[in-house]
Each structure stands twice: as C-alpha cells, then as structure tokens.
C-alpha cells in the first residue's frame, strides 16, 4: 500500500534552533496535513495544505506542499521545550475519498534546554 | 467544547475476552474515524462513518473487529475475541470539514 516516509525519524536540538522535517511518497496527494502528538494524547492538527506549492504558517511553524505533490516540509523556528513530541504528516490520496488520510511514520523531536 | 471523548483511557484484558471501546464525537461533526496506533505500523485507519453510516471499513483487520455508530453522538469499536497482537492505542477522531480531524485522547489496550 501507499506509504509516507518521514525524516528524520528523531532529532535532538538545542532550544532556540530551527527545525526542519519532511515527508515523501511515491504517490501524489491532494491534501497534506501536519499533526503533533504529545505523550498520552491524540494528534493535534497544526497546519493543513491544500494545493501544490502552497506555503502556510502557524506561529513559529511553516509548512509547504511540494510542487510535485509527492512531498511536504515542516519547519519550526526558534524551538522551545514545549515543541517536544512526535510530528506526523498525513496525506489524502486523490482516489481515497475526501476524508481518508494516510499517516507518516513520525518524527520524534527532543529539545535540549 | 469537550472535544472527542474516548473511554476507557486504559484497558487490560485477557486473551479471548471481548473488548468494547467507546467514542463520543464533537457535536455537529458528521464524520467519525477509528484509528489504531502501534510502534510497528504507526497510525492506521480502521473504519470511518459519515452520518452514522460506515463508509469504508477496508482497514478493519479481520472479522474479530466490528464498529457501530447507533447515533450521531456515540460509536463503539468491539474486538471479540481479543488477541495479544491487538494491543495498541485506539483513537477515535471526528471531522466537520475534509481538512483535518480532531482526535480523542485514545484508549490504550493491552491484551495479555
């Protein structure tokens, strides 16, 4: 089946540093979503992207919908300790039906104060 | 808004027992989803409903799994009989628009 590959799988960074992570696939997606999951909780939606090339920000977070529609990127600027968690991308396949998303494998972020 | 409410938060059961997980979606959301999360397979969609009707259950692993949505404010996911490999965190999510769901806090199921 279709897979979304996220990289890196995990990362340690110093507080204040910028963070970049990406999500790639061999399939084309109609919509990209980025979620953050804290321990013991469900994923929380951070950013939604609706068309190729789109660049969207949410506070210190910026995400882009790749031009090829096969990838997406998430950047976090000036990281803080509460950014710790697992970040997931999710993509909606053109043929999957409007509400069905495939989730990536996750990027585990740890921030060193 | 209380968000998506799942119960129980934790469930430990013996192999062969029936397990029922419950979900109350956000009021007014027409879509409800059940996901399973494991270290090996990540987040997998099991089934989703639109207006209480199951639309796609292709992710349900086998006949031991069943899901119902008797009304707009309640859904259940049942596993009978349960097996150790069913151990996972089960999430319910609901949506009003196609652009992202709201997840519940999950039920951590352990089958021993």
């Amino acid at each position: 089946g279709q897979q979304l590959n996220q990289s890196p799988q995990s990362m340690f960074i110093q507080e204040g540093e910028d963070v970049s992570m990406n999500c790639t696939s061999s399939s084309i997606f109609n919509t990209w979503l980025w979620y953050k999951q804290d321990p013991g909780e469900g994923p929380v939606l951070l950013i939604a992207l609706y068309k190729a090339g789109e660049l969207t920000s949410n506070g210190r977070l910026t995400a882009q919908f790749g031009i090829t529609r096969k990838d997406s990127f998430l950047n976090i600027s000036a990281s803080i300790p509460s950014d710790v968690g697992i970040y997931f991308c999710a993509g909606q396949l053109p043929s999957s039906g409007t509400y069905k998303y495939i989730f990536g494998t996750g990027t585990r972020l740890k921030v060193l104060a | 808004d209380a968000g998506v409410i799942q119960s129980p938060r934790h469930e430990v059961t013996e192999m062969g027992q029936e397990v029922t997980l419950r979900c109350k979606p956000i009021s007014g959301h027409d879509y409800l989803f059940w996901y399973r999360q494991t270290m090996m397979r990540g987040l997998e969609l099991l089934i989703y409903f639109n207006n209480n009707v199951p639309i796609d259950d292709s992710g349900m692993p086998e006949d031991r799994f069943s899901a119902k949505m008797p009304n707009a404010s309640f859904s259940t996911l049942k596993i009978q009989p349960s097996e150790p490999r069913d151990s996972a965190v089960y999430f319910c999510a609901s949506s009003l628009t196609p652009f992202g769901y709201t997840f519940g806090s999950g039920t951590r199921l352990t089958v021993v």
Side-chain angles (χ1 to χ4, degrees):
Chain A
Q2 291 83 8
Q3 283 190 324
L4 291 181
N5 300 308
Q6 281 189 249
S7 65
Q9 285 189 323
S10 63
M11 55 195 311
F12 285 86
I13 60 168
Q14 292 284 340
E15 183 178 357
E17 288 183 346
D18 296 343
V19 176
S20 292
M21 60 189 79
N22 66 73
C23 198
T24 61
S25 175
S26 58
S27 301
I28 290 174
F29 290 90
N30 279 353
T31 304
W32 285 94
L33 308 175
W34 283 93
Y35 282 85
K36 178 180 181 247
Q37 186 176 23
D38 292 325
E41 298 297 328
V44 174
L45 182 64
L46 300 174
I47 292 179
L49 302 160
Y50 309 132
K51 59 182 182 180
E54 180 180 355
L55 187 70
T56 298
S57 293
N58 178 7
R60 293 179 298 105
L61 278 60
T62 301
Q64 184 163 24
F65 193 144
I67 290 292
T68 65
R69 296 172 60 196
K70 295 182 179 181
D71 55 12
S72 180
F73 306 87
L74 176 69
N75 296 312
I76 306 172
S77 62
S79 58
I80 59 177
S82 62
D83 291 334
V84 166
I86 304 176
Y87 292 80
F88 291 99
C89 61
Q92 180 220 338
L93 290 165
S95 60
S96 69
T98 306
Y99 293 82
K100 189 172 175 180
Y101 288 85
I102 296 173
F103 279 76
T105 49
T107 293
R108 187 180 298 272
L109 179 64
K110 299 185 180 182
V111 179
L112 304 173
Chain B
D1 190 342
V4 176
I5 300 174
Q6 292 186 245
S7 64
R9 286 298 306 271
H10 302 275
E11 176 80 35
V12 180
T13 190
E14 291 184 346
M15 181 174 62
Q17 296 297 308
E18 177 180 294
V19 176
T20 299
L21 311 181
R22 298 172 175 78
C23 175
K24 176 179 169 57
I26 292 173
S27 178
H29 282 192
D30 296 333
Y31 288 79
L32 183 139
F33 309 82
W34 282 100
Y35 275 84
R36 176 172 68 176
Q37 185 176 39
T38 61
M39 288 295 292
M40 291 299 295
R41 300 174 68 88
L43 275 161
E44 302 174 281
L45 178 64
L46 300 177
I47 185 172
Y48 80 93
F49 296 82
N50 179 24
N51 291 323
N52 314 336
V53 176
I55 302 301
D56 186 339
D57 65 355
S58 59
M60 295 287 261
E62 47 197 276
D63 291 345
R64 298 184 296 106
F65 286 69
S66 62
K68 294 183 180 180
M69 192 165 185
N71 57 62
S73 59
F74 184 65
S75 176
T76 59
L77 178 67
K78 185 176 294 186
I79 307 173
Q80 165 64 17
S82 57
E83 297 181 3
R85 60 193 169 116
D86 301 331
S87 298
V89 181
Y90 290 81
F91 287 104
C92 175
S94 69
S95 174
L96 177 62
T97 74
F99 307 123
Y101 331 133
T102 300
F103 282 85
S105 296
T107 294
R108 181 174 295 276
L109 173 65
T110 303
V111 183
V112 298

